[in-house]
Amino acid sequence: MRERKSAAHWRGLAEQLDIRTRAFIDGRYVDAASGETFTCINPATGRPLAEVAATSDPDVDTAVAAARRAFDSGHWSRLPPVKRKRVLQKLASLVREHREELALLESLDMGKPVSDSLTIDIPAVANCLDWYAEAIDKVYGEVAPTGDNMLGMITREPIGVVAAIVPWNFPLLMAAWKLGPALATGNSVVLKPSEKSPLTAIRLAELATAAGLPDGVLNVLPGFGHTAGQALALHNDVDCLVFTGSTRVGKKLLEYAGQSNMKRVWLECGGKTPNIVMADCADLDAAARAAAFAIFFNQGEMCSAGSRLLVDVRIKDELLDKVISTAKTLKPGDPLDPATRMGAIVDDKQFETVLRYIAAGTAGGAILRMGGHPAKVGDGGYFIEPTIFDEVRNDMRIAQEEIFGPVLSTIRFETVEEAVEIANDVQYGLAAALWTSDVSTAHRVARRLRAGTVWVNCFEQGDLTVPFGGYKQSGTGRDKSLHALDKYTELKTTWLKLS
Ligand code: NAD
């Protein structure tokens, strides 16, 4: 059920917000050592929202040292899992208690509809923290099948200081996918949110302390990628670097790890998801609704967005007409209006990027079937109409590159073989979807798609029980599920010779 609160309710709440804007290090809010700040803009109005601490090298040093001290003290890292569980559960319940404030902050900071952040993002953050809290006292070590005179024990230990660098499209949720497993396994964390959306992460740190997390276990450093982010990634006392963001920056992080201490690096990067509709799809209406949702939800600012609609030529026109009629119901609007389904693009830079891709699509010969322009909402802000291209070839830029905006490329195919070939012919491999009523086609094609997740007759489904992450240049490792614990633990073998 979508919770419905009026726009007036949200505006009233926005006026009373006490926005935290400083870095959080060793259990308290501090200014950046340099005293510098940067301005967070509300993308729905283009107006300043907050002046936030711009941390850099000295703050990174202080935060990493605090995280290391906390780790070495054992107050968290050696706490019995059942006690860590209680603190994380308390944090999850504080997130739920403060859900309106967090949802509003998220929406004001990055432009998504507040009803989405209230009913999707923030509940998912709380559920993620709860899930790892619940899991952690049920994860056992192993005893190796040795001979009688030996005992070989295999145990998981926290790695130490984890740096988490996250993007702006689901700011707090992407942070939670790192924090849940990292904290549950006993690590200390230094979190760097995106400079485009730092506000909920800064607030979460305070809630974590209120939940009982010892000082220094969670530190939050707002700031830019080339300053705070780079210093964290190059830091010799960071043991593990977990990242969600672009493939371009992910590659840099691999270099930084090589240039410094060979810290473990786990990357969740970009995508160009093929959404394949076969001629035998049993429910074209459902496929069309899902295809529209797949690219226009969250303004298309989704790593897994179904940005390439691959359709059997025999049903292409019929399907596309249906997608367009759904898309017409998704006009961009004020993110604080509970009826709004599409909000603002995160900032002027991303807005210009998306418009440049739309121009490249037209120039490359694709047929613009819908949208293609900025949308007028209120008296400012960065809104773009839902945009649909037809007759796209897979070698065009709009089919190959991640646009990260509300732009759908429709590509025709004639055989299943050709569909698979087109689907796999990109640098990314995060997710894929296919629609068919033939169970053999479903299995055969799903096996051949080079993607970390394949949805059959649905899109964007899944919960915390399943891993999420990419093949190819969509990244390494997985978020969610117990598989995520691999990123945050070292395996230790203890070999005992018995007398
Ligand atoms: P981005 O790569 O520009 O930035 C991500 C983070 O990296 C930000 O915090 C940024 O400040 C930081 N950063 C930038 N340069 C850095 C540097 N040189 N050193 C260290 N840190 C640096 O990505 P974005 O624009 O914030 O997010 C969009 C991208 O995230 C898209 O490519 C999207 O597909 C991806 N994403 C992936 C997933 C997934 O699970 N695979 C989920 C969400 C988003």
Side-chain angles (χ1 to χ4, degrees):
M1 273 281 285
R2 289 171 80 86
E3 244 181 88
R4 288 275 176 155
K5 293 270 163 77
S6 68
H9 167 84
W10 291 112
R11 284 192 201 107
L13 208 58
E15 276 167 23
Q16 296 159 25
L17 270 183
D18 177 12
I19 300 179
R20 313 293 198 269
T21 57
R22 301 201 290 165
F24 195 85
I25 301 178
D26 211 6
R28 62 196 185 92
Y29 284 120
V30 292
D31 291 324
S34 66
E36 285 180 17
T37 60
F38 62 97
T39 308
C40 272
I41 301 287
N42 176 350
T45 61
R47 287 195 284 272
L49 184 61
E51 281 299 317
V52 176
T55 63
S56 57
D57 290 47
D59 310 291
V60 168
D61 286 342
T62 314
V64 172
R68 174 64 60 195
R69 264 194 318 278
F71 185 78
D72 289 347
S73 77
H75 294 148
W76 181 252
S77 54
R78 293 197 293 276
L79 200 64
V82 69
K83 293 196 172 163
R84 292 203 295 264
K85 162 178 164 168
R86 288 192 193 117
V87 172
L88 291 177
Q89 284 175 325
K90 174 74 182 158
L91 177 57
S93 77
L94 286 176
V95 167
R96 291 193 182 97
E97 203 177 296
H98 292 271
R99 66 185 182 282
E100 287 204 4
E101 177 195 350
L102 292 167
L104 180 60
L105 272 179
E106 206 78 305
S107 175
L108 293 173
D109 209 6
M110 66 71 67
K112 68 171 69 197
V114 72
S115 27
D116 284 354
S117 44
L118 184 69
T119 58
I120 299 171
D121 294 51
I122 304 304
V125 168
N127 290 346
C128 176
L129 295 168
D130 257 344
W131 198 88
Y132 284 103
E134 273 298 344
I136 203 59
D137 60 352
K138 297 162 193 77
V139 177
Y140 291 80
E142 298 163 35
V143 175
T146 55
D148 233 17
N149 297 333
M150 304 292 169
L151 176 61
M153 293 188 301
I154 305 162
T155 48
R156 281 179 188 269
E157 294 187 347
I159 295 189
V161 175
V162 171
I165 300 181
V166 295
W168 48 263
N169 62 332
F170 288 85
L172 200 56
L173 184 57
M174 292 305 98
W177 282 8
K178 315 295 187 202
L179 294 178
L183 294 174
T185 44
N187 296 283
S188 295
V189 178
V190 181
L191 170 66
K192 196 205 83 64
S194 168
E195 59 277 21
K196 301 182 187 193
S197 60
L199 300 180
T200 45
I202 298 177
R203 178 72 172 108
L204 185 79
E206 191 180 27
L207 296 180
T209 297
L213 202 69
D215 292 350
V217 174
L218 173 60
N219 307 274
V220 178
L221 295 181
F224 293 97
H226 63 276
T227 52
Q230 184 175 3
L232 260 181
L234 281 168
H235 205 289
N236 278 316
D237 208 22
V238 167
D239 301 294
C240 170
L241 175 60
V242 288
F243 171 75
T244 299
S246 62
T247 294
R248 183 183 65 79
V249 172
K251 288 181 180 181
K252 285 191 188 180
L253 300 189
L254 291 170
E255 284 179 28
Y256 298 156
Q259 287 162 20
S260 53
N261 61 341
M262 224 167 95
K263 53 181 70 66
R264 282 91 182 99
V265 180
W266 301 100
L267 307 171
E268 300 290 337
C269 299
K272 197 74 194 173
T273 297
N275 184 16
I276 308 170
V277 187
M278 307 287 182
D280 66 357
C281 167
D283 187 347
L284 268 197
D285 290 322
R289 279 194 304 275
F293 164 84
I295 185 64
F296 300 129
F297 172 65
N298 213 48
Q299 306 75 241
E301 295 164 331
M302 295 267 296
C303 51
S304 51
S307 50
R308 290 184 301 151
L309 180 61
L310 274 49
V311 198
D312 188 301
V313 68
R314 289 166 287 177
I315 57 162
K316 180 177 72 73
D317 290 340
E318 185 186 354
L319 181 79
L320 207 47
D321 287 345
K322 290 176 190 286
V323 177
I324 288 170
S325 35
T326 301
K328 281 185 178 153
T329 66
L330 299 174
K331 283 201 181 65
D334 175 3
L336 298 192
D337 181 339
T340 295
R341 306 281 303 280
M342 261 178 84
I345 301 296
V346 70
D347 66 1
D348 55 343
K349 208 166 148 232
Q350 184 64 13
F351 176 77
E352 295 299 338
T353 301
V354 175
L355 292 177
R356 266 200 306 278
Y357 272 113
I358 293 173
T362 312
I367 309 289
L368 186 63
R369 285 287 309 270
M370 179 177 169
H373 306 102
K376 174 109 186 75
V377 177
D379 59 358
Y382 312 112
F383 296 86
I384 295 183
E385 296 170 344
T387 297
I388 299 180
F389 280 108
D390 191 7
E391 298 299 332
V392 176
R393 288 190 326 271
N394 202 49
D395 61 357
M396 291 179 181
R397 279 186 62 204
I398 56 169
Q400 287 291 318
E401 297 175 21
E402 188 183 43
I403 300 174
F404 227 57
V407 183
L408 180 64
S409 296
T410 311
I411 303 170
R412 63 163 78 197
F413 66 82
E414 290 182 10
T415 64
V416 171
E417 203 56 34
E418 191 192 1
V420 171
E421 204 174 292
I422 296 171
N424 286 335
D425 184 21
V426 284
Q427 62 170 317
Y428 299 110
L430 187 58
L434 71 124
W435 298 76
T436 175
S437 52
D438 181 331
V439 73
S440 297
T441 306
H443 280 292
R444 255 202 323 270
V445 173
R447 281 181 185 165
R448 291 186 51 203
L449 290 169
R450 307 264 302 141
T453 295
V454 178
W455 293 293
V456 180
N457 294 331
C458 59
F459 199 96
E460 208 60 64
Q461 301 286 316
D463 57 22
L464 282 157
T465 61
V466 289
F468 185 78
Y471 282 29
K472 302 195 278 186
Q473 294 186 43
S474 287
T476 59
R478 297 291 181 266
D479 277 336
K480 305 202 300 173
S481 84
L482 292 182
H483 291 282
L485 300 184
D486 294 342
K487 304 203 285 198
Y488 302 97
T489 51
E490 292 283 13
L491 275 188
K492 175 171 281 180
T493 295
T494 309
W495 187 261
L496 269 90
K497 186 168 181 301
L498 308 178
S499 56

